[in-house]
C-alpha cells in the first residue's frame, strides 16, 4: 500500500495521478490493465473521490480510457494507430527542436546538458527505467525551449497516447544506446543554436525510434 502526502502547492489527486502516470510510463502498469477506483483508493490510502479524480486526469491526458463494466483502462493501441501518430509527431517534434535551438535560454540549455548526462549514466548502468525518465525529461525541456504552448500541448497529447510502449522499445537490443547517441546530436545542435541541424537530428531520432517501436508492436500483434 502506498501512502500519499499532500505536497505544498499540490493536491492528493495530483500526487496520485503522478504516481500512476509514472507506473504507466515505466511499464509497471501495462497497456490494457484495468484501474478500478476502489483499488486505487486502497493502494494510496485515500477516499474514492480523489482516486476517481486522478483517473479522470489520466483520461484527459490520453493515458487511460473509460470502458463499460471495466472502468478506467490503460490505453492499448494497435500498430496502425501507432504508425499514424508517429507520422504526425515526427513533424511536430522536429519543428520543436528547430525552435528550441533558436529560443532556448542559457539556463535551460545548461539543464538540458545536465539531464543528458543523467541519461549517459543510465545507459552505462543498463537502467531502462532511469533512461526512460531521462528521455522524457530531455524531450520536455525541448518542448519548453521551443516556447510555443500550442505545439507543446499537441505533442504531449500524442506522446501520452504512445508513451505506455516506450519501456518495451528500450528493451529492444541496442535501442537505448542508439537513442542516447541520437539525443547527443540533438542536444549538441540545440546548445550550438544550429536550427537546421537540430531539426535534422530530431527527424532522424523520431523516425528511427518510432520505426523500431512500431515494428515491435507489429511482431507482438502477430504473436
Amino acid at each position: 500500500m502506498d501512502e500519499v502526502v499532500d505536497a505544498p502547492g499540490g493536491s492528493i489527486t495530483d500526487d496520485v495521478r503522478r504516481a500512476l502516470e509514472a507506473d504507466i510510463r515505466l511499464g509497471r502498469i501495462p497497456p490494457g490493465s484495468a484501474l478500478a477506483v476502489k483499488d486505487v483508493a486502497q493502494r494510496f490510502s485515500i477516499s474514492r473521490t480523489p482516486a476517481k479524480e486522478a483517473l479522470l486526469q489520466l483520461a484527459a491526458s490520453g493515458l487511460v480510457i473509460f470502458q463499460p463494466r471495466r472502468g478506467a483502462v490503460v490505453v492499448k493501441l494497435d500498430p496502425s494507430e501507432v504508425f499514424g501518430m508517429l507520422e504526425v509527431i515526427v513533424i511536430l517534434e522536429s519543428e520543436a527542436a528547430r525552435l528550441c535551438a533558436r529560443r532556448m535560454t542559457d539556463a535551460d540549455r545548461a539543464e538540458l546538458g545536465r539531464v543528458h548526462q543523467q541519461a549517459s549514466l543510465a545507459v552505462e548502468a543498463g537502467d531502462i527505467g532511469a533512461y526512460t525518465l531521462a528521455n522524457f525529461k530531455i524531450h520536455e525541456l525541448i518542448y519548453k525551449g521551443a516556447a510555443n504552448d500550442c505545439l507543446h500541448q499537441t505533442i504531449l497529447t500524442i506522446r501520452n497516447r504512445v508513451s505506455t510502449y516506450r519501456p518495451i522499445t528500450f528493451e529492444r537490443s541496442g535501442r537505448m544506446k542508439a537513442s542516447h547517441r541520437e539525443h547527443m546530436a540533438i542536444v549538441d545542435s540545440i546548445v550550438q543554436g544550429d536550427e537546421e541541424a537540430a531539426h535534422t537530428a530530431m527527424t532522424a531520432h523520431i523516425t528511427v525510434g518510432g520505426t523500431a517501436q512500431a515494428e515491435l508492436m507489429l511482431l507482438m500483434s502477430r504473436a
Side-chain angles (χ1 to χ4, degrees):
M1 181 179 295
D2 299 321
E3 291 190 5
V4 176
V5 178
D6 191 7
S11 69
I12 292 177
T13 296
D14 290 336
D15 291 340
V16 171
R17 187 260 305 160
R18 282 192 290 266
L20 292 174
E21 183 176 283
D23 283 348
I24 293 171
R25 291 188 186 283
L26 293 174
R28 291 192 287 258
I29 303 178
S33 299
L35 293 171
V37 172
K38 66 176 182 179
D39 292 338
V40 173
Q42 182 177 8
R43 172 184 168 181
F44 294 100
S45 301
I46 58 177
S47 68
R48 293 195 176 198
T49 297
K52 184 175 182 179
E53 289 175 350
L55 293 176
L56 288 172
Q57 288 183 7
L58 289 176
S61 69
L63 283 176
V64 306
I65 58 174
F66 281 88
Q67 296 181 345
R69 296 183 296 279
R70 292 196 71 193
V73 177
V74 179
V75 170
K76 188 173 184 179
L77 304 174
D78 64 47
S80 64
E81 289 178 295
V82 174
F83 274 120
M85 292 179 189
L86 291 174
E87 285 180 339
V88 174
I89 206 167
V90 67
I91 298 171
L92 300 179
E93 295 235 17
S94 298
E95 184 60 23
R98 184 204 302 277
L99 293 174
C100 186
R102 181 191 310 169
R103 301 172 176 172
M104 194 175 221
T105 65
D106 289 341
D108 284 342
R109 290 176 199 268
E111 177 66 5
L112 182 62
R114 187 187 68 79
V115 175
H116 182 61
Q117 181 57 34
Q118 289 181 343
S120 297
L121 296 176
V123 171
E124 292 174 6
D127 189 335
I128 293 174
Y131 184 79
T132 300
L133 289 176
N135 172 75
F136 177 72
K137 290 178 182 178
I138 287 171
H139 283 269
E140 270 288 322
L141 284 168
I142 292 172
Y143 309 152
K144 176 186 175 184
N148 184 313
D149 289 340
C150 181
L151 179 62
H152 187 168
Q153 293 305 316
T154 303
I155 291 173
L156 288 184
T157 297
I158 298 175
R159 264 198 173 269
N160 278 335
R161 295 291 306 280
V162 299
S163 64
T164 53
Y165 296 90
R166 284 291 174 183
I168 298 175
T169 302
F170 291 135
E171 287 180 2
R172 188 169 172 167
S173 178
R175 182 58 207 146
M176 183 167 61
K177 290 182 179 180
S179 172
H180 184 56
R181 289 194 299 270
E182 293 156 14
H183 279 169
M184 186 176 298
I186 297 167
V187 172
D188 287 348
S189 299
I190 289 174
V191 170
Q192 294 167 15
D194 191 331
E195 297 179 31
E196 291 308 313
H199 184 279
T200 299
M202 182 63 85
T203 298
H205 174 58
I206 300 298
T207 300
V208 172
T211 298
Q213 184 178 23
E215 285 179 349
L216 181 59
M217 291 184 66
L218 278 172
L219 292 173
M220 292 168 61
S221 67
R222 289 169 182 167

